[in-house]
Amino acid sequence: MAKYLSEVYSGKRNIPQPDSAEICAVPVDVVFGATALVANDIIMLTDVPEGVSVADYSISAPQLDSHGTPTLAFSLGDANAAGDDLTTVYETGLIPGHTASGSVVRCGNALASSAATTSVRNLALKVTTAAATAATSGKTLTVLLKLRG
C-alpha cells in the first residue's frame, strides 16, 4: 500500500474555504507518477475543516486504465489518523478515467454531505481495484469539491 498526496494536501496549492453558508467550488489535483496504483493505495485529497461539509463532488480524469475492460476503481471517504485506510466511506465503485477520452464520476449519494462537521476530516480516495492495464503515469485526476460553510 502506498500513500499519494494531492497538490493541496502536500501544500503545493492552497484552496479557498467557505466562510458562511455559501458553497465554494474547490479543485483538488492529483498528479500521478510512473508507479501504477494498486489495491489499497490511499490518495490523500484535502483536510475538510471543522464546520465545513462536502455538499457535492465530481472526479474527472483522462484514461487511467487502458485495458479493453478497465477495472481501476476507487472509494471516497475520510482517512484514518495514520492515512492508511478509510474510517468512513461515502461512496464506492467510483471509476473515473475509464474510457479512451477520459470520464467524469459524479456524487451518487448524500453521505458526504451528511457527515459530522465537528472535527477536521482528511478526505481521501482509496484504490479498491487495481487497473487491468495501468495508464496513470504523468496524468492528473481532479476532484472538484463543493464545500459549504
Side-chain angles (χ1 to χ4, degrees):
M1 183 225 69
K3 182 170 22 175
Y4 299 87
L5 306 179
S6 73
E7 292 187 340
V8 171
Y9 201 87
S10 66
K12 290 181 182 176
R13 290 186 186 215
N14 294 319
I15 59 172
Q17 297 295 325
D19 59 5
S20 65
E22 71 184 0
I23 291 182
C24 183
V26 177
V28 178
D29 292 333
V30 179
V31 180
F32 294 112
T35 305
L37 298 171
V38 298
N40 298 316
D41 280 353
I42 298 290
I43 302 164
M44 301 299 291
L45 298 173
T46 188
D47 289 338
V48 179
E50 182 177 339
V52 173
S53 65
V54 178
D56 194 11
Y57 57 84
S58 62
I59 305 168
S60 61
Q63 186 174 38
L64 301 175
D65 186 345
S66 61
H67 193 272
T69 308
T71 57
L72 182 62
F74 301 90
S75 289
L76 177 75
D78 295 332
N80 62 15
D84 60 6
D85 203 357
L86 300 180
T87 56
T88 303
V89 177
Y90 300 130
E91 194 162 1
T92 62
L94 302 171
I95 50 171
H98 73 279
T99 65
S101 58
S103 62
V104 177
V105 172
R106 290 187 168 75
C107 176
N109 64 50
L111 290 175
S113 65
S114 60
T117 62
T118 55
S119 62
V120 174
R121 284 126 28 242
N122 299 311
L123 195 63
L125 288 169
K126 179 179 181 178
V127 177
T128 54
T129 308
T133 306
T136 54
S137 183
K139 295 184 179 170
T140 301
L141 174 141
T142 299
V143 179
L144 181 61
L145 298 171
K146 292 182 181 173
L147 303 178
R148 179 183 8 216

